[in-house]
């Protein structure tokens, strides 16, 4: 293939978008709908909410903490075999979980094994997608991540229906079969052939440059705080509604309402990210702030109408921030560093995914309700949105704004010392 100097902004990239759509559905759609299993696990193993919360928390943390491994393997072998292997591991973890007799078994099967499979699928796919798009990157990312909203709308009531007919063990067997489709998604990946940039260096030089890159480090801290509270409604909203005497099926349906709004938010946000002039970071800060406010208001709402309105608001804003969170990264570090940068970002923000759900469950055990859990989750997102204000060009309102490559050149080439020996060796 002829080597391009810039991303093609289309072509096979739309097939990669389709692959990423189904992968995001089979990874984060399953994670978001796992609150349906939460109540079943509490009853089956007679454990406290905080201990059961560690199942999803470990899965999220392993998926993110293991992302550098997936990125490194993709750099060496290409994303296709790595993602296909991840699909096998994710399905195997769910299969073994159906035979669990203790929470430890679920920690190891769903949390560790399936989480490892998710780590090998998500980051390499999004990095591959980012290499295909420049001008339409936000839209492409938004379309790819609509799989999360669509699957959350489908999976929450579907999993509840499975539980009522096949119990949790049979349901996990069927989730395992669904996860196996990640293998087919991985087979569709084919990274574009772009001209090499000698200034980028090898993986070690890229890692060194990123660890000295102030805006990247601040952005990583912001997303870590956001990640701490982001998943709380999808894990504990059903339990919170049951504390308010809601039946399980209507409670699960409210998650579907949020998922529909999430789906719309991702598409609208992706379009706005490419259409609105100026840094994408501003839109990301707006959606993050609104998400934090809606989270903090959940304990205040008691009437069904108010809860539905909040679910719609949370779904839209949380869905809107997701594609922009990944679109900002190439603007900061460039597409040729995207595999290393995305893997490192996911690894560090896994701290938030690991601590958020257990903290929420602990606050519920201590206080007897989920009021503190939702308020603290909203506070984490508001803290992350405050850090976004410190990123480069956030307050630049000139009519002519720098393009992504200009921002990367300014931020990296003039501020980041690259080790000479590492560059020559790589």
């Amino acid at each position: 293939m002829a080597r391009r100097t810039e991303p093609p902004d289309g072509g096979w990239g739309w097939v990669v978008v389709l692959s990423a759509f189904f992968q995001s559905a089979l990874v984060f759609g399953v994670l978001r709908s796992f609150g349906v299993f939460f109540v079943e696990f509490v009853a089956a193993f007679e454990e406290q909410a905080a201990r059961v919360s560690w199942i999803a928390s470990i899965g999220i943390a392993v998926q993110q903490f293991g992302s550098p491994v997936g990125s490194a393997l993709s750099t060496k072998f290409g994303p296709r075999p790595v993602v296909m292997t991840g699909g096998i591991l994710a399905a195997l973890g769910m299969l073994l979980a159906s035979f669990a007799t203790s929470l430890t078994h679920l920690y190891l099967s769903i949390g560790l094994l399936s989480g490892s499979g998710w780590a090998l699928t998500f980051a390499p796919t999004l990095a591959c997608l980012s290499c295909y798009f420049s001008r339409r990157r936000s839209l492409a990312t938004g379309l790819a991540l609509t799989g999360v909203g669509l699957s959350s709308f489908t999976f929450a009531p579907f999993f509840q229906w499975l539980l009522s007919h096949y119990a949790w063990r049979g349901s996990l067997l069927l989730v395992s079969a669904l996860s196996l489709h990640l293998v087919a998604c991985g087979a569709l990946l084919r990274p574009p052939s772009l001209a090499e940039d000698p200034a980028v260096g090898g993986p070690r030089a890229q890692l060194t440059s990123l660890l000295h890159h102030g805006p990247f480090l601040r952005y990583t801290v912001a997303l870590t705080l956001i990640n701490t509270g982001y998943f709380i409604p999808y894990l504990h909203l059903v339990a919170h509604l049951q504390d308010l005497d809601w039946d399980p099926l209507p409670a699960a349906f409210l998650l579907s309402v949020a998922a529909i709004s999430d789906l719309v938010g991702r598409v609208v946000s992706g379009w706005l990210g490419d259409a609105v002039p100026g840094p994408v970071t501003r839109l990301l800060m707006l959606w993050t702030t609104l998400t934090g406010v809606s989270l903090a208001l959940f304990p205040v709402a008691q009437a069904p109408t108010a809860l539905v309105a909040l679910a719609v608001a949370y779904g839209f804003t949380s869905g809107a921030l997701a594609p922009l969170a990944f679109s900002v990264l190439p603007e900061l570090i460039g597409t040729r560093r995207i595999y290393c940068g995305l893997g490192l970002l996911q690894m560090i923000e896994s701290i938030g995914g690991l601590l958020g759900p257990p903290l929420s469950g602990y606050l519920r055990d201590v206080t007897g309700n989920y009021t503190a859990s939702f308020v603290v989750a909203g506070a984490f997102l508001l803290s992350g949105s405050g850090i976004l204000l410190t990123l480069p060009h956030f307050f630049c309102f000139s009519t002519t704004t720098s393009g992504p490559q200009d921002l990367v050149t300014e931020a990296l080439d003039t501020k980041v010392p690259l080790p000479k020996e590492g560059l020559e060796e790589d």
Side-chain angles (χ1 to χ4, degrees):
M1 295 176 60
R3 292 186 177 272
R4 299 172 178 264
T5 58
E6 295 294 335
D9 258 322
W12 190 262
W14 295 115
V15 179
V16 176
V17 169
L18 179 65
S19 173
F21 171 87
F22 286 108
Q23 286 189 54
S24 64
L26 295 172
V27 175
F28 290 102
V30 170
L31 277 172
R32 282 187 165 196
S33 303
F34 226 71
V36 176
F37 287 93
F38 178 84
V39 179
E40 295 292 325
F41 290 152
V42 170
F45 297 103
E46 298 180 349
E47 295 282 358
Q48 292 182 334
R51 293 198 63 193
V52 176
S53 297
W54 278 101
I55 300 172
S57 181
I58 293 174
I60 295 170
V62 171
Q63 181 268 319
Q64 295 177 333
F65 195 79
S67 290
V69 177
S71 298
L73 291 174
S74 297
T75 302
K76 184 174 180 60
F77 302 105
R80 182 181 296 170
V82 175
V83 173
M84 294 176 72
T85 302
I88 295 174
L89 292 178
L92 182 61
M94 291 294 177
L95 176 65
L96 294 177
S98 65
F99 298 99
T101 58
S102 69
L103 282 184
T104 303
H105 295 160
L106 294 178
Y107 294 159
L108 295 175
S109 56
I110 297 176
L112 185 60
L113 192 56
S114 291
S116 299
W118 296 331
L120 297 180
T121 60
F122 185 69
T125 302
L126 274 192
C128 182
L129 184 149
S130 296
C131 293
Y132 269 99
F133 293 92
S134 177
R135 291 181 296 103
R136 292 181 284 188
R137 182 180 293 130
S138 294
L139 178 60
T141 306
L143 291 175
L145 294 181
T146 53
V148 180
L150 188 61
S151 60
S152 299
F153 166 71
T154 306
F155 285 171
F158 177 59
F159 288 172
Q160 189 66 57
W161 182 85
L162 289 179
L163 287 169
S164 63
H165 286 78
Y166 301 103
W168 65 269
R169 296 185 186 274
S171 300
L172 288 177
L173 282 173
L174 294 173
V175 174
S176 173
L178 282 174
S179 298
L180 203 58
H181 289 77
L182 288 169
V183 178
C185 294
L188 295 175
L189 299 182
R190 187 183 69 193
S193 182
L194 297 176
E196 297 294 334
D197 185 352
V200 172
R204 186 166 59 181
Q206 293 180 35
L207 179 61
T208 302
S209 68
L210 290 173
L211 291 177
H212 288 83
H213 188 279
F216 173 77
L217 294 178
R218 295 196 299 273
Y219 186 62
T220 301
V221 172
L223 286 195
T224 301
L225 292 171
I226 293 170
N227 202 43
T228 304
Y230 184 83
F231 290 98
I232 298 306
Y234 290 98
L235 295 175
H236 292 156
L237 181 58
V238 171
H240 171 64
L241 293 175
Q242 291 187 15
D243 286 348
L244 298 178
D245 297 326
W246 282 47
D247 292 330
L249 195 56
F253 181 75
L254 192 62
L255 278 183
S256 299
V257 172
I260 296 175
S261 185
D262 176 288
L263 179 67
V264 177
R266 289 170 190 262
V267 177
V268 172
S269 176
W271 175 77
L272 286 176
D274 293 329
V276 176
V280 181
T281 316
R282 291 182 202 149
L283 284 175
L284 177 60
M285 190 277 293
L286 171 65
W287 300 130
T288 303
T289 301
L290 293 177
T291 303
V293 171
S294 62
L295 269 175
L297 290 177
F298 261 111
V300 179
Q302 298 292 325
T305 304
L307 286 168
V308 171
L310 274 179
V312 171
Y314 168 78
F316 185 90
T317 56
S318 65
L321 74 85
L324 299 186
F326 295 104
S327 297
V328 168
L329 188 60
E331 290 190 357
L332 288 177
I333 64 174
T335 56
R336 294 174 179 85
R337 293 177 174 89
I338 191 63
Y339 278 99
C340 183
L342 184 56
L344 182 61
L345 172 66
Q346 291 261 289
M347 182 186 73
I348 297 176
E349 71 171 345
S350 67
I351 299 172
L354 179 65
L355 298 180
L359 175 61
S360 177
Y362 171 77
L363 292 174
R364 195 273 182 221
D365 292 335
V366 171
T367 62
N369 56 57
Y370 286 97
T371 298
S373 301
F374 282 99
V375 171
V376 170
F380 276 116
L381 272 89
L382 292 175
S383 300
S385 66
I387 297 178
L388 294 176
L389 297 172
T390 67
L391 294 182
H393 301 279
F394 186 92
F395 294 102
C396 178
F397 294 96
S398 61
T399 55
T400 58
T401 57
S402 299
Q405 297 304 321
D406 298 328
L407 295 178
V408 172
T409 301
E410 177 182 344
L412 280 174
D413 294 344
T414 62
K415 295 183 180 180
V416 182
L418 291 176
K420 185 176 181 181
E421 295 82 7
L423 272 174
E424 291 175 349
E425 180 180 339
D426 291 322

